[in-house]
Amino acid sequence: MGRDDIEQRLNEEVQFHIDMHMERNIRMGMTPEDPKREALLKFGGQERWKSEARDEVSAGLFEGV
């Protein structure tokens, strides 16, 4: 799996979690303009999450060495 594949999977994973937060916010009755903003705030920095995921993948690769 190449770097581009990993980045694509990370982007999809982050988007999935943001979408889940948005859906929960909509079910809770938020107005249409608020769910995405609230989901992004609650989820936190997307790059931070991707960086932590990269670190975990790298650590797993080195454990097998």
Side-chain angles (χ1 to χ4, degrees):
M1 181 179 298
R3 183 173 175 86
D4 289 340
D5 294 331
I6 292 170
E7 286 300 312
Q8 179 62 33
R9 290 184 68 188
L10 287 172
N11 289 334
E12 290 170 1
E13 183 72 17
V14 167
Q15 189 60 51
F16 169 79
H17 288 285
I18 290 170
D19 290 345
M20 292 295 102
H21 282 292
M22 286 176 55
E23 287 180 25
R24 184 177 18 222
N25 291 342
I26 291 168
R27 285 193 309 271
M28 291 174 55
M30 284 189 182
T31 60
E33 57 274 354
D34 292 336
K36 184 173 184 177
R37 181 180 148 300
E38 179 67 25
L40 290 171
L41 288 173
K42 186 166 185 151
F43 187 72
Q46 296 176 41
E47 290 304 316
R48 178 179 59 96
W49 285 102
K50 288 193 273 185
S51 178
E52 289 177 13
R54 283 187 208 99
D55 291 346
E56 288 183 28
V57 168
S58 296
L61 292 174
F62 288 117
E63 285 178 5
V65 175

